[in-house]
Amino acid sequence: MVIRGETNLIKVYDLTPVIDLESYDLSESSDIQRLQETVGSFLDAGEVEAVNLPTDLIGVIPDGAEIETNGDTYTFEDVEYINASVDSLISENFNEGDVLLLLQGNGDGYFEYDANPDINDVKIGYTACDVEAPDEPVYDFFCDLMLPDMVEINGEKAEIAASNFYPKDTMVAEVYVVRNDGGKYLEKVAEVDILHEHWDLFEDIIQVDYDDPIA
């Protein structure tokens, strides 16, 4: 079985040990610039740790995506979903006040599995977001996506046998803080300029390829 389509990636870095937001006045442009430069230097130097989450944040945009199995091609409308709550992911893995760097990339994704099941036996994870999700860029970027790392065949998890990611848009890096107001959520505090070659930072979750996507 193969899943292919436009894909969004997010890699999360924990800035909490190295960034004290209290030392920045985020209403001052000079302090925001200082924060951006500090975070960028830590990332360039490899001095921040990626967060190990229970599932890789790789999401395929349903529109235009394809699932191929047993010689036939399907869309995501042909499979059952496994709801994966973004709110729960935040609540269970982060603490109020945590400072996070979210590295976000867009491109074409290719995901291959060893099995070729009947499409009716396939379930795929789906990033469900609360209808009242905060008006922050990361929610727009990662809500309502299918999760190739969360595929079940006949109730058993199917592992990705091979995958490729073909970058096509500029990478975005944003600093968020975890807030809690009746539930944990992410609030953006700054955007960070990063170098194009930082695509290789995604290599531990997916193979990054600069050739044309696999047909």
PDB file of all heavy atoms in Angstrom, residues 76-111:
ATOM      1  N   PHE A  76      -8.981   9.621   0.582  1.00  0.00           N
ATOM      2  CA  PHE A  76      -9.175   9.466   2.024  1.00  0.00           C
ATOM      3  C   PHE A  76     -10.653   9.365   2.401  1.00  0.00           C
ATOM      4  O   PHE A  76     -10.979   8.982   3.529  1.00  0.00           O
ATOM      5  CB  PHE A  76      -8.519  10.631   2.771  1.00  0.00           C
ATOM      6  CG  PHE A  76      -7.023  10.476   2.882  1.00  0.00           C
ATOM      7  CD1 PHE A  76      -6.167  11.419   2.355  1.00  0.00           C
ATOM      8  CD2 PHE A  76      -6.480   9.379   3.518  1.00  0.00           C
ATOM      9  CE1 PHE A  76      -4.794  11.275   2.448  1.00  0.00           C
ATOM     10  CE2 PHE A  76      -5.110   9.215   3.622  1.00  0.00           C
ATOM     11  CZ  PHE A  76      -4.263  10.168   3.086  1.00  0.00           C
ATOM     12  N   GLU A  77     -11.541   9.687   1.474  1.00  0.00           N
ATOM     13  CA  GLU A  77     -12.968   9.520   1.739  1.00  0.00           C
ATOM     14  C   GLU A  77     -13.369   8.050   1.761  1.00  0.00           C
ATOM     15  O   GLU A  77     -14.458   7.701   2.216  1.00  0.00           O
ATOM     16  CB  GLU A  77     -13.787  10.267   0.688  1.00  0.00           C
ATOM     17  CG  GLU A  77     -13.624  11.786   0.751  1.00  0.00           C
ATOM     18  CD  GLU A  77     -14.459  12.497  -0.301  1.00  0.00           C
ATOM     19  OE1 GLU A  77     -15.082  11.795  -1.134  1.00  0.00           O
ATOM     20  OE2 GLU A  77     -14.483  13.741  -0.287  1.00  0.00           O
ATOM     21  N   ASP A  78     -12.480   7.174   1.276  1.00  0.00           N
ATOM     22  CA  ASP A  78     -12.790   5.747   1.196  1.00  0.00           C
ATOM     23  C   ASP A  78     -12.350   4.970   2.429  1.00  0.00           C
ATOM     24  O   ASP A  78     -12.551   3.745   2.492  1.00  0.00           O
ATOM     25  CB  ASP A  78     -12.109   5.143  -0.041  1.00  0.00           C
ATOM     26  CG  ASP A  78     -12.624   5.746  -1.337  1.00  0.00           C
ATOM     27  OD1 ASP A  78     -13.843   5.821  -1.499  1.00  0.00           O
ATOM     28  OD2 ASP A  78     -11.785   6.151  -2.178  1.00  0.00           O
ATOM     29  N   VAL A  79     -11.728   5.644   3.420  1.00  0.00           N
ATOM     30  CA  VAL A  79     -11.246   4.934   4.604  1.00  0.00           C
ATOM     31  C   VAL A  79     -11.880   5.513   5.871  1.00  0.00           C
ATOM     32  O   VAL A  79     -12.364   6.640   5.893  1.00  0.00           O
ATOM     33  CB  VAL A  79      -9.706   5.010   4.729  1.00  0.00           C
ATOM     34  CG1 VAL A  79      -9.034   4.322   3.558  1.00  0.00           C
ATOM     35  CG2 VAL A  79      -9.235   6.448   4.843  1.00  0.00           C
ATOM     36  N   GLU A  80     -11.831   4.704   6.926  1.00  0.00           N
ATOM     37  CA  GLU A  80     -12.328   5.140   8.230  1.00  0.00           C
ATOM     38  C   GLU A  80     -11.212   5.874   8.969  1.00  0.00           C
ATOM     39  O   GLU A  80     -10.034   5.517   8.846  1.00  0.00           O
ATOM     40  CB  GLU A  80     -12.801   3.924   9.036  1.00  0.00           C
ATOM     41  CG  GLU A  80     -13.498   4.268  10.335  1.00  0.00           C
ATOM     42  CD  GLU A  80     -14.051   3.044  11.034  1.00  0.00           C
ATOM     43  OE1 GLU A  80     -14.185   1.985  10.380  1.00  0.00           O
ATOM     44  OE2 GLU A  80     -14.343   3.141  12.248  1.00  0.00           O
ATOM     45  N   TYR A  81     -11.600   6.887   9.752  1.00  0.00           N
ATOM     46  CA  TYR A  81     -10.607   7.694  10.452  1.00  0.00           C
ATOM     47  C   TYR A  81     -10.404   7.214  11.893  1.00  0.00           C
ATOM     48  O   TYR A  81     -11.317   6.664  12.512  1.00  0.00           O
ATOM     49  CB  TYR A  81     -11.049   9.168  10.525  1.00  0.00           C
ATOM     50  CG  TYR A  81     -11.179   9.873   9.197  1.00  0.00           C
ATOM     51  CD1 TYR A  81     -11.778  11.124   9.119  1.00  0.00           C
ATOM     52  CD2 TYR A  81     -10.707   9.302   8.019  1.00  0.00           C
ATOM     53  CE1 TYR A  81     -11.912  11.793   7.903  1.00  0.00           C
ATOM     54  CE2 TYR A  81     -10.830   9.954   6.810  1.00  0.00           C
ATOM     55  CZ  TYR A  81     -11.429  11.197   6.752  1.00  0.00           C
ATOM     56  OH  TYR A  81     -11.549  11.842   5.551  1.00  0.00           O
ATOM     57  N   ILE A  82      -9.190   7.472  12.392  1.00  0.00           N
ATOM     58  CA  ILE A  82      -8.896   7.336  13.822  1.00  0.00           C
ATOM     59  C   ILE A  82      -8.634   8.745  14.335  1.00  0.00           C
ATOM     60  O   ILE A  82      -7.632   9.366  13.965  1.00  0.00           O
ATOM     61  CB  ILE A  82      -7.637   6.467  14.071  1.00  0.00           C
ATOM     62  CG1 ILE A  82      -7.757   5.103  13.388  1.00  0.00           C
ATOM     63  CG2 ILE A  82      -7.377   6.314  15.564  1.00  0.00           C
ATOM     64  CD1 ILE A  82      -6.435   4.338  13.332  1.00  0.00           C
ATOM     65  N   ASN A  83      -9.527   9.285  15.129  1.00  0.00           N
ATOM     66  CA  ASN A  83      -9.365  10.663  15.595  1.00  0.00           C
ATOM     67  C   ASN A  83      -8.156  10.794  16.509  1.00  0.00           C
ATOM     68  O   ASN A  83      -8.003  10.048  17.482  1.00  0.00           O
ATOM     69  CB  ASN A  83     -10.617  11.135  16.337  1.00  0.00           C
ATOM     70  CG  ASN A  83     -11.728  11.521  15.380  1.00  0.00           C
ATOM     71  OD1 ASN A  83     -11.481  11.828  14.216  1.00  0.00           O
ATOM     72  ND2 ASN A  83     -12.956  11.491  15.853  1.00  0.00           N
ATOM     73  N   ALA A  84      -7.298  11.742  16.196  1.00  0.00           N
ATOM     74  CA  ALA A  84      -6.120  12.055  17.002  1.00  0.00           C
ATOM     75  C   ALA A  84      -6.239  13.513  17.427  1.00  0.00           C
ATOM     76  O   ALA A  84      -6.045  14.416  16.619  1.00  0.00           O
ATOM     77  CB  ALA A  84      -4.841  11.822  16.205  1.00  0.00           C
ATOM     78  N   SER A  85      -6.574  13.748  18.670  1.00  0.00           N
ATOM     79  CA  SER A  85      -6.847  15.098  19.152  1.00  0.00           C
ATOM     80  C   SER A  85      -5.557  15.888  19.329  1.00  0.00           C
ATOM     81  O   SER A  85      -4.654  15.486  20.076  1.00  0.00           O
ATOM     82  CB  SER A  85      -7.597  15.036  20.488  1.00  0.00           C
ATOM     83  OG  SER A  85      -7.638  16.303  21.099  1.00  0.00           O
ATOM     84  N   VAL A  86      -5.469  17.027  18.653  1.00  0.00           N
ATOM     85  CA  VAL A  86      -4.312  17.908  18.817  1.00  0.00           C
ATOM     86  C   VAL A  86      -4.288  18.476  20.235  1.00  0.00           C
ATOM     87  O   VAL A  86      -3.228  18.611  20.846  1.00  0.00           O
ATOM     88  CB  VAL A  86      -4.345  19.041  17.765  1.00  0.00           C
ATOM     89  CG1 VAL A  86      -3.257  20.069  18.039  1.00  0.00           C
ATOM     90  CG2 VAL A  86      -4.180  18.472  16.363  1.00  0.00           C
ATOM     91  N   ASP A  87      -5.467  18.778  20.787  1.00  0.00           N
ATOM     92  CA  ASP A  87      -5.546  19.281  22.157  1.00  0.00           C
ATOM     93  C   ASP A  87      -4.964  18.275  23.143  1.00  0.00           C
ATOM     94  O   ASP A  87      -4.239  18.640  24.080  1.00  0.00           O
ATOM     95  CB  ASP A  87      -6.992  19.604  22.532  1.00  0.00           C
ATOM     96  CG  ASP A  87      -7.538  20.803  21.774  1.00  0.00           C
ATOM     97  OD1 ASP A  87      -6.729  21.635  21.315  1.00  0.00           O
ATOM     98  OD2 ASP A  87      -8.767  20.910  21.637  1.00  0.00           O
ATOM     99  N   SER A  88      -5.288  16.989  22.951  1.00  0.00           N
ATOM    100  CA  SER A  88      -4.760  15.952  23.849  1.00  0.00           C
ATOM    101  C   SER A  88      -3.255  15.815  23.716  1.00  0.00           C
ATOM    102  O   SER A  88      -2.539  15.618  24.697  1.00  0.00           O
ATOM    103  CB  SER A  88      -5.432  14.603  23.554  1.00  0.00           C
ATOM    104  OG  SER A  88      -6.801  14.648  23.854  1.00  0.00           O
ATOM    105  N   LEU A  89      -2.752  15.934  22.485  1.00  0.00           N
ATOM    106  CA  LEU A  89      -1.309  15.848  22.259  1.00  0.00           C
ATOM    107  C   LEU A  89      -0.581  16.933  23.039  1.00  0.00           C
ATOM    108  O   LEU A  89       0.453  16.691  23.675  1.00  0.00           O
ATOM    109  CB  LEU A  89      -1.010  15.986  20.770  1.00  0.00           C
ATOM    110  CG  LEU A  89       0.452  15.860  20.352  1.00  0.00           C
ATOM    111  CD1 LEU A  89       0.923  14.422  20.493  1.00  0.00           C
ATOM    112  CD2 LEU A  89       0.652  16.326  18.913  1.00  0.00           C
ATOM    113  N   ILE A  90      -1.132  18.143  23.021  1.00  0.00           N
ATOM    114  CA  ILE A  90      -0.533  19.251  23.757  1.00  0.00           C
ATOM    115  C   ILE A  90      -0.647  19.024  25.262  1.00  0.00           C
ATOM    116  O   ILE A  90       0.317  19.154  26.016  1.00  0.00           O
ATOM    117  CB  ILE A  90      -1.205  20.580  23.365  1.00  0.00           C
ATOM    118  CG1 ILE A  90      -0.941  20.900  21.888  1.00  0.00           C
ATOM    119  CG2 ILE A  90      -0.711  21.729  24.258  1.00  0.00           C
ATOM    120  CD1 ILE A  90      -1.782  22.028  21.348  1.00  0.00           C
ATOM    121  N   SER A  91      -1.847  18.644  25.707  1.00  0.00           N
ATOM    122  CA  SER A  91      -2.112  18.488  27.140  1.00  0.00           C
ATOM    123  C   SER A  91      -1.253  17.396  27.767  1.00  0.00           C
ATOM    124  O   SER A  91      -0.765  17.539  28.885  1.00  0.00           O
ATOM    125  CB  SER A  91      -3.599  18.183  27.353  1.00  0.00           C
ATOM    126  OG  SER A  91      -3.880  17.990  28.707  1.00  0.00           O
ATOM    127  N   GLU A  92      -1.053  16.287  27.025  1.00  0.00           N
ATOM    128  CA  GLU A  92      -0.367  15.128  27.592  1.00  0.00           C
ATOM    129  C   GLU A  92       1.152  15.225  27.515  1.00  0.00           C
ATOM    130  O   GLU A  92       1.848  14.495  28.226  1.00  0.00           O
ATOM    131  CB  GLU A  92      -0.844  13.858  26.872  1.00  0.00           C
ATOM    132  CG  GLU A  92      -2.314  13.540  27.125  1.00  0.00           C
ATOM    133  CD  GLU A  92      -2.847  12.453  26.206  1.00  0.00           C
ATOM    134  OE1 GLU A  92      -2.036  11.887  25.426  1.00  0.00           O
ATOM    135  OE2 GLU A  92      -4.060  12.182  26.250  1.00  0.00           O
ATOM    136  N   ASN A  93       1.682  16.105  26.681  1.00  0.00           N
ATOM    137  CA  ASN A  93       3.128  16.107  26.453  1.00  0.00           C
ATOM    138  C   ASN A  93       3.839  17.393  26.862  1.00  0.00           C
ATOM    139  O   ASN A  93       5.073  17.434  26.870  1.00  0.00           O
ATOM    140  CB  ASN A  93       3.415  15.826  24.977  1.00  0.00           C
ATOM    141  CG  ASN A  93       3.038  14.422  24.557  1.00  0.00           C
ATOM    142  OD1 ASN A  93       3.779  13.471  24.808  1.00  0.00           O
ATOM    143  ND2 ASN A  93       1.875  14.268  23.933  1.00  0.00           N
ATOM    144  N   PHE A  94       3.070  18.442  27.191  1.00  0.00           N
ATOM    145  CA  PHE A  94       3.695  19.712  27.533  1.00  0.00           C
ATOM    146  C   PHE A  94       3.091  20.289  28.798  1.00  0.00           C
ATOM    147  O   PHE A  94       1.943  20.006  29.150  1.00  0.00           O
ATOM    148  CB  PHE A  94       3.538  20.715  26.379  1.00  0.00           C
ATOM    149  CG  PHE A  94       4.082  20.210  25.066  1.00  0.00           C
ATOM    150  CD1 PHE A  94       3.243  19.957  23.996  1.00  0.00           C
ATOM    151  CD2 PHE A  94       5.441  19.977  24.916  1.00  0.00           C
ATOM    152  CE1 PHE A  94       3.737  19.480  22.800  1.00  0.00           C
ATOM    153  CE2 PHE A  94       5.947  19.495  23.716  1.00  0.00           C
ATOM    154  CZ  PHE A  94       5.097  19.249  22.657  1.00  0.00           C
ATOM    155  N   ASN A  95       3.884  21.122  29.472  1.00  0.00           N
ATOM    156  CA  ASN A  95       3.446  21.780  30.695  1.00  0.00           C
ATOM    157  C   ASN A  95       3.203  23.262  30.445  1.00  0.00           C
ATOM    158  O   ASN A  95       3.825  23.863  29.560  1.00  0.00           O
ATOM    159  CB  ASN A  95       4.510  21.623  31.791  1.00  0.00           C
ATOM    160  CG  ASN A  95       4.747  20.172  32.149  1.00  0.00           C
ATOM    161  OD1 ASN A  95       3.801  19.407  32.353  1.00  0.00           O
ATOM    162  ND2 ASN A  95       6.013  19.777  32.234  1.00  0.00           N
ATOM    163  N   GLU A  96       2.323  23.823  31.230  1.00  0.00           N
ATOM    164  CA  GLU A  96       2.083  25.262  31.142  1.00  0.00           C
ATOM    165  C   GLU A  96       3.392  26.024  31.325  1.00  0.00           C
ATOM    166  O   GLU A  96       4.174  25.727  32.231  1.00  0.00           O
ATOM    167  CB  GLU A  96       1.073  25.694  32.198  1.00  0.00           C
ATOM    168  CG  GLU A  96       0.729  27.175  32.155  1.00  0.00           C
ATOM    169  CD  GLU A  96      -0.285  27.584  33.207  1.00  0.00           C
ATOM    170  OE1 GLU A  96      -0.672  26.719  34.025  1.00  0.00           O
ATOM    171  OE2 GLU A  96      -0.684  28.759  33.218  1.00  0.00           O
ATOM    172  N   GLY A  97       3.642  26.971  30.457  1.00  0.00           N
ATOM    173  CA  GLY A  97       4.869  27.759  30.525  1.00  0.00           C
ATOM    174  C   GLY A  97       6.008  27.226  29.680  1.00  0.00           C
ATOM    175  O   GLY A  97       7.021  27.922  29.491  1.00  0.00           O
ATOM    176  N   ASP A  98       5.878  26.012  29.149  1.00  0.00           N
ATOM    177  CA  ASP A  98       6.927  25.481  28.267  1.00  0.00           C
ATOM    178  C   ASP A  98       7.101  26.397  27.055  1.00  0.00           C
ATOM    179  O   ASP A  98       6.121  26.913  26.503  1.00  0.00           O
ATOM    180  CB  ASP A  98       6.566  24.081  27.781  1.00  0.00           C
ATOM    181  CG  ASP A  98       6.831  23.003  28.821  1.00  0.00           C
ATOM    182  OD1 ASP A  98       7.386  23.328  29.884  1.00  0.00           O
ATOM    183  OD2 ASP A  98       6.482  21.828  28.565  1.00  0.00           O
ATOM    184  N   VAL A  99       8.342  26.577  26.646  1.00  0.00           N
ATOM    185  CA  VAL A  99       8.656  27.377  25.457  1.00  0.00           C
ATOM    186  C   VAL A  99       9.130  26.423  24.373  1.00  0.00           C
ATOM    187  O   VAL A  99      10.073  25.655  24.574  1.00  0.00           O
ATOM    188  CB  VAL A  99       9.736  28.438  25.757  1.00  0.00           C
ATOM    189  CG1 VAL A  99       9.990  29.298  24.526  1.00  0.00           C
ATOM    190  CG2 VAL A  99       9.323  29.304  26.934  1.00  0.00           C
ATOM    191  N   LEU A 100       8.456  26.453  23.229  1.00  0.00           N
ATOM    192  CA  LEU A 100       8.707  25.476  22.177  1.00  0.00           C
ATOM    193  C   LEU A 100       9.048  26.168  20.863  1.00  0.00           C
ATOM    194  O   LEU A 100       8.495  27.215  20.536  1.00  0.00           O
ATOM    195  CB  LEU A 100       7.470  24.596  21.963  1.00  0.00           C
ATOM    196  CG  LEU A 100       6.871  23.934  23.201  1.00  0.00           C
ATOM    197  CD1 LEU A 100       5.561  23.240  22.839  1.00  0.00           C
ATOM    198  CD2 LEU A 100       7.850  22.928  23.810  1.00  0.00           C
ATOM    199  N   LEU A 101       9.949  25.559  20.122  1.00  0.00           N
ATOM    200  CA  LEU A 101      10.224  25.977  18.747  1.00  0.00           C
ATOM    201  C   LEU A 101       9.578  24.949  17.830  1.00  0.00           C
ATOM    202  O   LEU A 101       9.881  23.756  17.910  1.00  0.00           O
ATOM    203  CB  LEU A 101      11.726  26.046  18.478  1.00  0.00           C
ATOM    204  CG  LEU A 101      12.126  26.355  17.032  1.00  0.00           C
ATOM    205  CD1 LEU A 101      11.711  27.776  16.654  1.00  0.00           C
ATOM    206  CD2 LEU A 101      13.621  26.155  16.821  1.00  0.00           C
ATOM    207  N   LEU A 102       8.682  25.401  16.962  1.00  0.00           N
ATOM    208  CA  LEU A 102       8.013  24.513  16.014  1.00  0.00           C
ATOM    209  C   LEU A 102       8.562  24.763  14.623  1.00  0.00           C
ATOM    210  O   LEU A 102       8.374  25.845  14.049  1.00  0.00           O
ATOM    211  CB  LEU A 102       6.499  24.737  16.031  1.00  0.00           C
ATOM    212  CG  LEU A 102       5.696  23.930  17.064  1.00  0.00           C
ATOM    213  CD1 LEU A 102       6.187  24.182  18.474  1.00  0.00           C
ATOM    214  CD2 LEU A 102       4.216  24.234  16.952  1.00  0.00           C
ATOM    215  N   LEU A 103       9.273  23.777  14.110  1.00  0.00           N
ATOM    216  CA  LEU A 103       9.830  23.828  12.768  1.00  0.00           C
ATOM    217  C   LEU A 103       8.806  23.206  11.828  1.00  0.00           C
ATOM    218  O   LEU A 103       8.410  22.050  12.009  1.00  0.00           O
ATOM    219  CB  LEU A 103      11.141  23.038  12.742  1.00  0.00           C
ATOM    220  CG  LEU A 103      12.195  23.372  11.700  1.00  0.00           C
ATOM    221  CD1 LEU A 103      12.671  24.808  11.859  1.00  0.00           C
ATOM    222  CD2 LEU A 103      13.368  22.409  11.825  1.00  0.00           C
ATOM    223  N   GLN A 104       8.357  23.968  10.838  1.00  0.00           N
ATOM    224  CA  GLN A 104       7.255  23.511   9.989  1.00  0.00           C
ATOM    225  C   GLN A 104       7.678  23.536   8.522  1.00  0.00           C
ATOM    226  O   GLN A 104       8.249  24.514   8.047  1.00  0.00           O
ATOM    227  CB  GLN A 104       6.040  24.416  10.183  1.00  0.00           C
ATOM    228  CG  GLN A 104       5.581  24.496  11.638  1.00  0.00           C
ATOM    229  CD  GLN A 104       4.694  25.698  11.890  1.00  0.00           C
ATOM    230  OE1 GLN A 104       3.680  25.855  11.227  1.00  0.00           O
ATOM    231  NE2 GLN A 104       5.072  26.540  12.839  1.00  0.00           N
ATOM    232  N   GLY A 105       7.394  22.434   7.818  1.00  0.00           N
ATOM    233  CA  GLY A 105       7.747  22.338   6.408  1.00  0.00           C
ATOM    234  C   GLY A 105       6.609  21.752   5.600  1.00  0.00           C
ATOM    235  O   GLY A 105       5.808  20.949   6.096  1.00  0.00           O
ATOM    236  N   ASN A 106       6.538  22.141   4.331  1.00  0.00           N
ATOM    237  CA  ASN A 106       5.492  21.661   3.426  1.00  0.00           C
ATOM    238  C   ASN A 106       6.138  21.094   2.162  1.00  0.00           C
ATOM    239  O   ASN A 106       7.129  21.623   1.670  1.00  0.00           O
ATOM    240  CB  ASN A 106       4.540  22.805   3.064  1.00  0.00           C
ATOM    241  CG  ASN A 106       3.554  22.440   1.971  1.00  0.00           C
ATOM    242  OD1 ASN A 106       3.815  22.695   0.800  1.00  0.00           O
ATOM    243  ND2 ASN A 106       2.438  21.847   2.341  1.00  0.00           N
ATOM    244  N   GLY A 107       5.565  20.006   1.647  1.00  0.00           N
ATOM    245  CA  GLY A 107       6.085  19.410   0.427  1.00  0.00           C
ATOM    246  C   GLY A 107       5.201  18.257  -0.006  1.00  0.00           C
ATOM    247  O   GLY A 107       4.046  18.155   0.391  1.00  0.00           O
ATOM    248  N   ASP A 108       5.757  17.384  -0.825  1.00  0.00           N
ATOM    249  CA  ASP A 108       5.034  16.187  -1.266  1.00  0.00           C
ATOM    250  C   ASP A 108       5.565  14.987  -0.499  1.00  0.00           C
ATOM    251  O   ASP A 108       6.787  14.801  -0.377  1.00  0.00           O
ATOM    252  CB  ASP A 108       5.223  15.962  -2.771  1.00  0.00           C
ATOM    253  CG  ASP A 108       4.506  17.015  -3.597  1.00  0.00           C
ATOM    254  OD1 ASP A 108       3.338  17.305  -3.282  1.00  0.00           O
ATOM    255  OD2 ASP A 108       5.108  17.557  -4.539  1.00  0.00           O
ATOM    256  N   GLY A 109       4.655  14.163   0.005  1.00  0.00           N
ATOM    257  CA  GLY A 109       5.046  13.002   0.784  1.00  0.00           C
ATOM    258  C   GLY A 109       4.696  11.690   0.094  1.00  0.00           C
ATOM    259  O   GLY A 109       3.691  11.600  -0.625  1.00  0.00           O
ATOM    260  N   TYR A 110       5.530  10.690   0.314  1.00  0.00           N
ATOM    261  CA  TYR A 110       5.330   9.341  -0.230  1.00  0.00           C
ATOM    262  C   TYR A 110       5.561   8.359   0.907  1.00  0.00           C
ATOM    263  O   TYR A 110       6.622   8.366   1.533  1.00  0.00           O
ATOM    264  CB  TYR A 110       6.306   9.088  -1.384  1.00  0.00           C
ATOM    265  CG  TYR A 110       6.307   7.680  -1.923  1.00  0.00           C
ATOM    266  CD1 TYR A 110       5.494   7.329  -2.995  1.00  0.00           C
ATOM    267  CD2 TYR A 110       7.141   6.706  -1.374  1.00  0.00           C
ATOM    268  CE1 TYR A 110       5.506   6.029  -3.502  1.00  0.00           C
ATOM    269  CE2 TYR A 110       7.150   5.404  -1.871  1.00  0.00           C
ATOM    270  CZ  TYR A 110       6.335   5.076  -2.934  1.00  0.00           C
ATOM    271  OH  TYR A 110       6.355   3.797  -3.418  1.00  0.00           O
ATOM    272  N   PHE A 111       4.565   7.493   1.175  1.00  0.00           N
ATOM    273  CA  PHE A 111       4.640   6.573   2.307  1.00  0.00           C
ATOM    274  C   PHE A 111       4.241   5.175   1.830  1.00  0.00           C
ATOM    275  O   PHE A 111       3.148   4.977   1.302  1.00  0.00           O
ATOM    276  CB  PHE A 111       3.716   7.040   3.438  1.00  0.00           C
ATOM    277  CG  PHE A 111       3.939   8.476   3.810  1.00  0.00           C
ATOM    278  CD1 PHE A 111       3.234   9.497   3.178  1.00  0.00           C
ATOM    279  CD2 PHE A 111       4.882   8.820   4.761  1.00  0.00           C
ATOM    280  CE1 PHE A 111       3.458  10.825   3.499  1.00  0.00           C
ATOM    281  CE2 PHE A 111       5.119  10.146   5.088  1.00  0.00           C
ATOM    282  CZ  PHE A 111       4.402  11.155   4.455  1.00  0.00           C
TER     283      PHE A 111
END
